[in-house]
Amino acid sequence: MSLESCRIDVWLWRARFAKTRNLAAAMVEQGAIRLTHNGAQSRLDKPSRSVHPGDEVLFAQGGRLIAVRVVRMGERRGPPEEARALYEPLDAPP
């Protein structure tokens, strides 16, 4: 697998937005994840969809809207500080 891209369910799990890959996959399958890639936004429907550095991910979690830019893919699900290095927060849209 290339380090330039990663499955969205794996990335959400590594970035600690989901406790398990199954929960991350369920978020995607429920249509809860929007991805902006090369300026085009789409609602993801399959956990196997790829995410790349520079992409923006938008989703609701715990009653809040989370908007982040993907910075790197990561190689594992590490401690929280390692997970935070995978993304940078964006201002949530209105």
Side-chain angles (χ1 to χ4, degrees):
M1 177 166 50
S2 165
L3 291 179
E4 286 82 44
S5 68
C6 180
R7 288 173 55 116
I8 185 66
D9 62 335
V10 172
W11 188 85
L12 288 166
W13 174 68
R14 287 178 180 166
R16 295 184 161 263
F17 289 117
K19 287 187 178 190
T20 66
R21 272 189 65 188
N22 281 342
L23 289 174
M27 288 169 64
V28 176
E29 289 167 349
Q30 292 165 2
I33 308 292
R34 289 181 184 257
L35 177 73
T36 303
H37 178 70
N38 291 337
Q41 187 180 86
S42 60
R43 186 183 301 257
L44 297 183
D45 56 349
K46 296 181 182 167
S48 61
R49 298 278 190 226
S50 292
V51 64
H52 304 83
D55 289 354
E56 295 178 6
V57 179
L58 176 70
F59 58 96
Q61 187 174 57
R64 297 179 320 161
L65 207 52
I66 309 282
V68 297
R69 178 174 293 115
V70 177
V71 176
R72 59 183 57 92
M73 299 297 100
E75 295 179 19
R76 64 186 185 127
R77 180 179 165 97
E81 73 181 37
E82 189 176 307
R84 283 190 293 274
L86 301 182
Y87 60 90
E88 58 188 29
L90 300 172
D91 291 331

